[in-house]
Amino acid sequence: MNYLITGGAGFVGSHLAELLLADGGNVTIIDDLSTGSIENVEHLKTNPRFAYRVDTIFNEPLTAELVDGADVVFHLAAAVGVTLIVESPVRTIETNISGTEIVLKHAAKKKRKVVLTSSSEVYGKSSHVPFKEEDDMVFGPTTRARWSYACSKAIDEFLALSYWKEKRMPVVVARLFNTVGPRQTGRYGMVVPRFVRQALDGGPITVFGDGKQSRCFAYVGDVVEGLRKLAVSDQAVGSVFNVGSSEEITIQELAEKVRSKVNPKVRIEYIPYDKAYEEGFEDMRRRVPDLGRIAAAIGYTPTKNIDQILDLVIQDLSRNPRRG
Ligand code: UDP
């Protein structure tokens, strides 16, 4: 099988590339290195079944050529991280909407299968947990930059599902929940690598808000295995799937866990959202996926709990002082 991964030098993309190569596939990645890093795929460069292009999906002739050569396209290229979204909303909207349009348009010409990675952000601030794929989206006002990300991903989903409905181009939509593991950087706001890096550097660990908000952290290895299986499941075509873990933890508990594992002496500091992000920032209190649909479709079950994941992240960031 020939695979194309857009955003393949990113955290999730690089793990997916590794998995598909180990599975015997031919993998080409395209990444503009805006948030991805060539270091993430350095170890794959010697594999003759791996090819990489440092370029943008906005280079349409190239994207068309790469899509042509693939049996399955994993579209991961996107603006990521709450920090980036708040600071660069124009880039977020343009990358997420126009970039996806280009990939889908060229995939449709040759009816290539596309696995579109969306985000749990599309549930917005719904309090109806656990979130099921058919649930309502609940967004805040357009004056709050955060919701531009959720809306842009929702448009991507609409577009992908429309290509399936109208043109019978096979698509699968995967809504990724908080995904963590080795190689993730805290540079774009992600809480797990940030806390671990802060603890390794002697603190303080910065908890935003009251720390009572919760998340479910999934191991990247489980998530990419889910993506691989969704790509080969005929039953999955034309559907949306939550991908993640349902083990819930508050951010305060997470901070305490990281502190006890890395350095019990570090201080935990509470920072109001207004200071951490921007005036009027809206956060989700709980974000928990219902994994019933993906479990039924491909037998998906997460294999690592939060303690095991944290141990792997701590090991990774201890060995790579520049990362995080
Ligand atoms: N967070 C935090 N301290 C940090 C970074 C993030 O308390 O240094 C919080 C953030 O406000 C959110 C949670 O951790 O409530 C998860 O944040 P992340 O950006 O990792 O993911 P998302 O908000 O997309 O779930």
Side-chain angles (χ1 to χ4, degrees):
M1 284 279 264
N2 294 326
Y3 299 101
L4 172 66
I5 307 174
T6 69
F11 159 59
V12 178
S14 65
H15 281 277
L16 179 61
E18 203 172 289
L19 176 72
L20 297 174
L21 287 167
D23 203 43
N26 298 308
V27 177
T28 301
I29 67 162
I30 175 166
D31 199 302
D32 67 359
L33 304 182
S34 53
T35 53
S37 157
I38 210 72
E39 267 175 46
N40 287 340
V41 291
E42 204 60 57
H43 62 299
L44 306 178
K45 281 183 180 170
T46 51
N47 189 321
R49 287 182 287 107
F50 177 73
Y52 71 98
R53 305 297 281 263
V54 177
D55 213 317
T56 159
I57 50 173
F58 289 95
N59 178 347
E60 277 204 58
L62 176 64
T63 299
E65 183 193 321
L66 296 180
V67 167
D68 273 7
D71 301 302
V72 177
V73 178
F74 289 94
H75 179 43
L76 275 69
V80 287
V82 178
T83 309
L84 185 68
I85 289 147
V86 170
E87 283 168 7
S88 313
V90 172
R91 177 166 150 205
T92 300
I93 299 166
E94 286 180 354
T95 307
N96 290 3
I97 296 183
S98 312
T100 300
E101 266 172 20
I102 290 170
V103 170
L104 290 175
K105 183 176 80 184
H106 291 289
K109 282 187 190 152
K110 300 280 167 79
K111 290 223 169 19
R112 298 296 190 251
K113 191 176 208 175
V114 177
V115 178
L116 177 91
T117 51
S118 182
S119 162
S120 57
E121 282 272 329
V122 297
Y123 292 104
K125 52 183 173 180
S126 166
S127 53
H128 195 72
V129 289
F131 298 141
K132 280 200 164 85
E133 289 85 346
E134 302 303 320
D135 284 350
D136 290 343
M137 305 181 285
V138 185
F139 297 155
T142 51
T143 43
R144 305 266 186 267
R146 177 178 201 145
W147 305 116
S148 65
Y149 182 77
C151 284
S152 67
K153 283 292 187 182
I155 290 287
D156 286 354
E157 290 195 15
F158 277 126
L159 193 61
L161 294 171
S162 303
Y163 268 106
W164 165 240
K165 213 170 141 192
E166 214 179 297
K167 301 184 192 291
R168 290 285 123 179
M169 176 185 112
V171 301
V172 182
V173 175
R175 282 187 190 152
L176 269 49
F177 282 65
N178 296 69
T179 302
V180 295
R183 267 184 235 148
Q184 187 174 35
T185 161
R187 204 172 299 142
Y188 309 105
M190 279 72 167
V191 68
V192 166
R194 273 178 63 91
F195 281 5
V196 171
R197 172 57 63 213
Q198 288 168 339
L200 287 170
D201 289 350
I205 295 176
T206 56
V207 171
F208 300 160
D210 62 6
K212 300 285 193 292
Q213 72 272 34
S214 69
R215 294 293 187 269
C216 300
F217 296 98
Y219 175 57
V220 64
D222 290 333
V223 169
V224 295
E225 179 62 18
L227 293 176
R228 186 187 68 80
K229 285 192 178 155
L230 285 175
V232 294
S233 158
D234 290 335
Q235 196 194 331
V237 172
S239 291
V240 178
F241 294 89
N242 289 336
V243 189
S245 154
S246 47
E247 186 192 3
E248 193 176 3
I249 184 170
T250 67
I251 298 304
Q252 182 173 39
E253 286 164 350
L254 179 74
E256 281 159 7
K257 237 183 218 305
V258 170
R259 172 167 68 179
S260 77
K261 280 178 185 288
V262 178
N263 177 358
K265 291 206 185 93
V266 301
R267 207 163 49 79
I268 295 177
E269 188 183 345
Y270 289 81
I271 300 178
Y273 283 120
D274 287 2
K275 285 221 176 75
Y277 298 108
E278 62 173 358
E279 190 83 11
F281 180 83
E282 295 182 271
D283 199 15
M284 293 88 184
R285 290 307 276 176
R286 295 178 70 195
R287 180 184 267 171
V288 183
D290 183 308
L291 297 173
R293 184 181 280 183
I294 189 169
I298 58 164
Y300 176 89
T301 32
T303 63
K304 294 212 189 318
N305 63 30
I306 188 66
D307 279 292
Q308 294 168 306
I309 300 171
L310 284 178
D311 291 342
L312 289 170
V313 173
I314 292 165
Q315 193 182 59
D316 177 59
L317 291 178
S318 311
R319 286 184 189 153
N320 298 283
R322 287 194 305 124
R323 191 180 292 154

Short mmCIF file of all heavy atoms in Angstrom, two decimals, residues 140-175:
data_model
loop_
_atom_site.label_atom_id
_atom_site.label_comp_id
_atom_site.label_asym_id
_atom_site.label_seq_id
_atom_site.Cartn_x
_atom_site.Cartn_y
_atom_site.Cartn_z
N GLY A 140 -18.80 28.88 21.10
CA GLY A 140 -18.94 30.23 21.63
C GLY A 140 -18.97 31.24 20.49
O GLY A 140 -19.00 30.86 19.32
N PRO A 141 -18.96 32.53 20.84
CA PRO A 141 -19.10 33.57 19.82
C PRO A 141 -17.86 33.71 18.93
O PRO A 141 -16.76 33.28 19.30
CB PRO A 141 -19.28 34.84 20.66
CG PRO A 141 -18.64 34.55 21.96
CD PRO A 141 -18.82 33.09 22.20
N THR A 142 -18.05 34.37 17.77
CA THR A 142 -16.94 34.55 16.82
C THR A 142 -15.88 35.52 17.34
O THR A 142 -14.79 35.61 16.78
CB THR A 142 -17.48 35.08 15.47
OG1 THR A 142 -18.29 36.22 15.73
CG2 THR A 142 -18.26 34.04 14.73
N THR A 143 -16.22 36.25 18.41
CA THR A 143 -15.23 37.18 18.98
C THR A 143 -14.19 36.45 19.83
O THR A 143 -13.24 37.06 20.32
CB THR A 143 -15.95 38.24 19.83
OG1 THR A 143 -16.94 37.59 20.62
CG2 THR A 143 -16.60 39.29 18.96
N ARG A 144 -14.38 35.16 20.06
CA ARG A 144 -13.40 34.37 20.82
C ARG A 144 -12.63 33.48 19.84
O ARG A 144 -13.19 32.54 19.26
CB ARG A 144 -14.09 33.50 21.85
CG ARG A 144 -15.00 34.26 22.80
CD ARG A 144 -14.27 34.63 24.08
NE ARG A 144 -15.16 35.25 25.03
CZ ARG A 144 -15.34 36.57 25.14
NH1 ARG A 144 -14.72 37.40 24.34
NH2 ARG A 144 -16.16 37.04 26.06
N ALA A 145 -11.33 33.76 19.70
CA ALA A 145 -10.52 33.10 18.67
C ALA A 145 -10.55 31.58 18.77
O ALA A 145 -10.50 30.88 17.77
CB ALA A 145 -9.08 33.60 18.76
N ARG A 146 -10.66 31.06 19.98
CA ARG A 146 -10.59 29.62 20.14
C ARG A 146 -11.58 28.89 19.24
O ARG A 146 -11.28 27.83 18.69
CB ARG A 146 -10.88 29.24 21.59
CG ARG A 146 -10.89 27.75 21.74
CD ARG A 146 -11.11 27.23 23.12
NE ARG A 146 -10.60 25.85 23.13
CZ ARG A 146 -10.01 25.28 24.14
NH1 ARG A 146 -9.84 25.94 25.25
NH2 ARG A 146 -9.58 24.05 24.06
N TRP A 147 -12.79 29.47 19.09
CA TRP A 147 -13.85 28.76 18.36
C TRP A 147 -13.59 28.71 16.87
O TRP A 147 -14.24 27.96 16.15
CB TRP A 147 -15.22 29.36 18.70
CG TRP A 147 -15.43 29.34 20.19
CD1 TRP A 147 -15.57 30.40 21.02
CD2 TRP A 147 -15.44 28.18 21.03
NE1 TRP A 147 -15.66 29.99 22.33
CE2 TRP A 147 -15.58 28.63 22.35
CE3 TRP A 147 -15.32 26.81 20.79
CZ2 TRP A 147 -15.62 27.75 23.45
CZ3 TRP A 147 -15.36 25.93 21.87
CH2 TRP A 147 -15.51 26.41 23.18
N SER A 148 -12.65 29.53 16.39
CA SER A 148 -12.34 29.48 14.96
C SER A 148 -11.74 28.12 14.60
O SER A 148 -11.96 27.60 13.51
CB SER A 148 -11.38 30.60 14.57
OG SER A 148 -10.13 30.42 15.19
N TYR A 149 -11.01 27.57 15.53
CA TYR A 149 -10.41 26.26 15.27
C TYR A 149 -11.50 25.20 15.17
O TYR A 149 -11.54 24.41 14.24
CB TYR A 149 -9.42 25.91 16.40
CG TYR A 149 -8.73 24.60 16.19
CD1 TYR A 149 -7.69 24.48 15.28
CD2 TYR A 149 -9.12 23.46 16.89
CE1 TYR A 149 -7.06 23.26 15.07
CE2 TYR A 149 -8.49 22.24 16.69
CZ TYR A 149 -7.46 22.15 15.78
OH TYR A 149 -6.84 20.95 15.57
N ALA A 150 -12.41 25.22 16.16
CA ALA A 150 -13.51 24.24 16.18
C ALA A 150 -14.34 24.36 14.90
O ALA A 150 -14.65 23.35 14.26
CB ALA A 150 -14.38 24.48 17.41
N CYS A 151 -14.66 25.60 14.52
CA CYS A 151 -15.49 25.80 13.32
C CYS A 151 -14.74 25.35 12.08
O CYS A 151 -15.33 24.76 11.18
CB CYS A 151 -15.89 27.26 13.18
SG CYS A 151 -17.18 27.73 14.31
N SER A 152 -13.43 25.66 12.00
CA SER A 152 -12.69 25.28 10.80
C SER A 152 -12.63 23.75 10.67
O SER A 152 -12.75 23.21 9.57
CB SER A 152 -11.27 25.88 10.81
OG SER A 152 -10.48 25.33 11.84
N LYS A 153 -12.49 23.07 11.78
CA LYS A 153 -12.47 21.61 11.73
C LYS A 153 -13.84 21.06 11.38
O LYS A 153 -13.97 20.04 10.68
CB LYS A 153 -11.98 21.04 13.06
CG LYS A 153 -10.48 21.14 13.23
CD LYS A 153 -9.78 20.21 12.26
CE LYS A 153 -8.30 20.12 12.46
NZ LYS A 153 -7.65 19.24 11.48
N ALA A 154 -14.89 21.73 11.86
CA ALA A 154 -16.25 21.29 11.54
C ALA A 154 -16.50 21.44 10.03
O ALA A 154 -17.09 20.56 9.39
CB ALA A 154 -17.27 22.08 12.34
N ILE A 155 -16.02 22.54 9.46
CA ILE A 155 -16.18 22.75 8.01
C ILE A 155 -15.43 21.64 7.25
O ILE A 155 -15.93 21.09 6.27
CB ILE A 155 -15.64 24.15 7.59
CG1 ILE A 155 -16.55 25.25 8.12
CG2 ILE A 155 -15.47 24.27 6.08
CD1 ILE A 155 -17.88 25.37 7.40
N ASP A 156 -14.22 21.32 7.72
CA ASP A 156 -13.45 20.23 7.09
C ASP A 156 -14.27 18.94 7.09
O ASP A 156 -14.30 18.20 6.10
CB ASP A 156 -12.15 19.96 7.88
CG ASP A 156 -11.10 21.03 7.66
OD1 ASP A 156 -11.31 21.92 6.82
OD2 ASP A 156 -10.06 20.97 8.35
N GLU A 157 -14.91 18.66 8.20
CA GLU A 157 -15.72 17.44 8.30
C GLU A 157 -16.89 17.49 7.31
O GLU A 157 -17.17 16.51 6.61
CB GLU A 157 -16.26 17.25 9.72
CG GLU A 157 -15.20 16.92 10.74
CD GLU A 157 -15.80 16.38 12.04
OE1 GLU A 157 -16.98 16.00 12.06
OE2 GLU A 157 -15.07 16.34 13.05
N PHE A 158 -17.58 18.64 7.28
CA PHE A 158 -18.71 18.79 6.35
C PHE A 158 -18.25 18.54 4.92
O PHE A 158 -18.90 17.85 4.15
CB PHE A 158 -19.29 20.21 6.43
CG PHE A 158 -20.27 20.42 7.56
CD1 PHE A 158 -20.09 21.45 8.48
CD2 PHE A 158 -21.39 19.61 7.70
CE1 PHE A 158 -20.99 21.66 9.51
CE2 PHE A 158 -22.31 19.82 8.73
CZ PHE A 158 -22.10 20.84 9.64
N LEU A 159 -17.10 19.13 4.59
CA LEU A 159 -16.60 19.03 3.22
C LEU A 159 -16.25 17.57 2.89
O LEU A 159 -16.64 17.05 1.84
CB LEU A 159 -15.38 19.94 3.06
CG LEU A 159 -14.90 20.19 1.64
CD1 LEU A 159 -15.98 20.87 0.81
CD2 LEU A 159 -13.65 21.07 1.66
N ALA A 160 -15.54 16.92 3.78
CA ALA A 160 -15.14 15.53 3.54
C ALA A 160 -16.38 14.64 3.39
O ALA A 160 -16.48 13.84 2.45
CB ALA A 160 -14.26 15.03 4.69
N LEU A 161 -17.34 14.80 4.28
CA LEU A 161 -18.54 13.96 4.23
C LEU A 161 -19.36 14.26 2.97
O LEU A 161 -20.01 13.37 2.41
CB LEU A 161 -19.39 14.16 5.50
CG LEU A 161 -18.70 13.68 6.79
CD1 LEU A 161 -19.49 14.11 8.03
CD2 LEU A 161 -18.52 12.15 6.80
N SER A 162 -19.28 15.51 2.50
CA SER A 162 -19.99 15.87 1.27
C SER A 162 -19.35 15.22 0.05
O SER A 162 -20.04 14.81 -0.88
CB SER A 162 -20.01 17.39 1.07
OG SER A 162 -20.59 17.99 2.20
N TYR A 163 -18.02 15.14 0.05
CA TYR A 163 -17.33 14.47 -1.06
C TYR A 163 -17.77 12.99 -1.13
O TYR A 163 -17.91 12.42 -2.20
CB TYR A 163 -15.81 14.56 -0.90
CG TYR A 163 -15.21 15.75 -1.61
CD1 TYR A 163 -14.76 16.86 -0.90
CD2 TYR A 163 -15.09 15.77 -3.00
CE1 TYR A 163 -14.21 17.95 -1.54
CE2 TYR A 163 -14.53 16.86 -3.66
CZ TYR A 163 -14.10 17.94 -2.92
OH TYR A 163 -13.56 19.02 -3.58
N TRP A 164 -17.97 12.40 0.03
CA TRP A 164 -18.44 11.01 0.05
C TRP A 164 -19.87 10.92 -0.47
O TRP A 164 -20.18 10.14 -1.36
CB TRP A 164 -18.34 10.45 1.48
CG TRP A 164 -19.10 9.18 1.71
CD1 TRP A 164 -20.11 8.97 2.61
CD2 TRP A 164 -18.91 7.90 1.05
NE1 TRP A 164 -20.56 7.68 2.54
CE2 TRP A 164 -19.85 7.00 1.59
CE3 TRP A 164 -18.06 7.44 0.05
CZ2 TRP A 164 -19.96 5.66 1.18
CZ3 TRP A 164 -18.17 6.10 -0.37
CH2 TRP A 164 -19.10 5.23 0.19
N LYS A 165 -20.71 11.80 0.05
CA LYS A 165 -22.13 11.75 -0.30
C LYS A 165 -22.37 12.07 -1.78
O LYS A 165 -23.09 11.36 -2.47
CB LYS A 165 -22.86 12.80 0.56
CG LYS A 165 -24.27 12.40 0.92
CD LYS A 165 -24.80 13.37 1.95
CE LYS A 165 -26.27 13.64 1.65
NZ LYS A 165 -26.78 14.76 2.43
N GLU A 166 -21.71 13.13 -2.24
CA GLU A 166 -21.99 13.62 -3.58
C GLU A 166 -21.17 12.94 -4.66
O GLU A 166 -21.64 12.71 -5.76
CB GLU A 166 -21.68 15.12 -3.58
CG GLU A 166 -22.58 15.94 -4.45
CD GLU A 166 -22.17 17.41 -4.35
OE1 GLU A 166 -22.26 17.98 -3.25
OE2 GLU A 166 -21.76 17.96 -5.39
N LYS A 167 -19.90 12.64 -4.31
CA LYS A 167 -19.01 12.13 -5.37
C LYS A 167 -18.49 10.72 -5.08
O LYS A 167 -17.66 10.21 -5.81
CB LYS A 167 -17.82 13.08 -5.55
CG LYS A 167 -18.27 14.50 -5.93
CD LYS A 167 -17.09 15.40 -6.21
CE LYS A 167 -17.46 16.86 -6.30
NZ LYS A 167 -18.24 17.22 -7.46
N ARG A 168 -18.97 10.11 -4.02
CA ARG A 168 -18.55 8.75 -3.66
C ARG A 168 -17.04 8.61 -3.50
O ARG A 168 -16.45 7.57 -3.82
CB ARG A 168 -19.07 7.72 -4.68
CG ARG A 168 -20.56 7.53 -4.60
CD ARG A 168 -20.94 6.71 -3.38
NE ARG A 168 -21.89 7.45 -2.52
CZ ARG A 168 -22.41 6.99 -1.40
NH1 ARG A 168 -22.12 5.80 -0.98
NH2 ARG A 168 -23.22 7.72 -0.67
N MET A 169 -16.41 9.69 -3.08
CA MET A 169 -14.99 9.58 -2.75
C MET A 169 -14.92 9.05 -1.32
O MET A 169 -15.52 9.63 -0.43
CB MET A 169 -14.34 10.95 -2.82
CG MET A 169 -12.90 10.92 -2.41
SD MET A 169 -12.30 12.60 -2.38
CE MET A 169 -12.04 12.84 -0.67
N PRO A 170 -14.21 7.92 -1.09
CA PRO A 170 -14.23 7.34 0.26
C PRO A 170 -13.48 8.19 1.30
O PRO A 170 -12.31 8.51 1.10
CB PRO A 170 -13.55 5.97 0.09
CG PRO A 170 -12.85 6.02 -1.22
CD PRO A 170 -13.43 7.12 -2.05
N VAL A 171 -14.17 8.55 2.34
CA VAL A 171 -13.53 9.32 3.42
C VAL A 171 -13.89 8.71 4.77
O VAL A 171 -14.94 8.10 4.93
CB VAL A 171 -13.97 10.82 3.45
CG1 VAL A 171 -13.65 11.53 2.17
CG2 VAL A 171 -15.43 10.97 3.80
N VAL A 172 -12.98 8.90 5.71
CA VAL A 172 -13.24 8.53 7.11
C VAL A 172 -12.83 9.73 7.94
O VAL A 172 -11.76 10.31 7.70
CB VAL A 172 -12.38 7.31 7.55
CG1 VAL A 172 -12.72 6.91 8.99
CG2 VAL A 172 -12.56 6.13 6.62
N VAL A 173 -13.67 10.14 8.86
CA VAL A 173 -13.33 11.28 9.72
C VAL A 173 -12.97 10.75 11.11
O VAL A 173 -13.76 10.04 11.73
CB VAL A 173 -14.51 12.28 9.82
CG1 VAL A 173 -14.18 13.39 10.81
CG2 VAL A 173 -14.84 12.85 8.44
N ALA A 174 -11.76 11.11 11.56
CA ALA A 174 -11.31 10.68 12.90
C ALA A 174 -11.20 11.92 13.78
O ALA A 174 -10.43 12.83 13.48
CB ALA A 174 -9.96 9.99 12.78
N ARG A 175 -11.99 11.96 14.85
CA ARG A 175 -11.91 13.09 15.78
C ARG A 175 -10.94 12.73 16.90
O ARG A 175 -11.28 11.96 17.81
CB ARG A 175 -13.28 13.36 16.40
CG ARG A 175 -14.19 14.10 15.49
CD ARG A 175 -15.47 14.50 16.20
NE ARG A 175 -16.39 15.00 15.20
CZ ARG A 175 -17.71 14.95 15.28
NH1 ARG A 175 -18.28 14.43 16.35
NH2 ARG A 175 -18.46 15.44 14.33
#
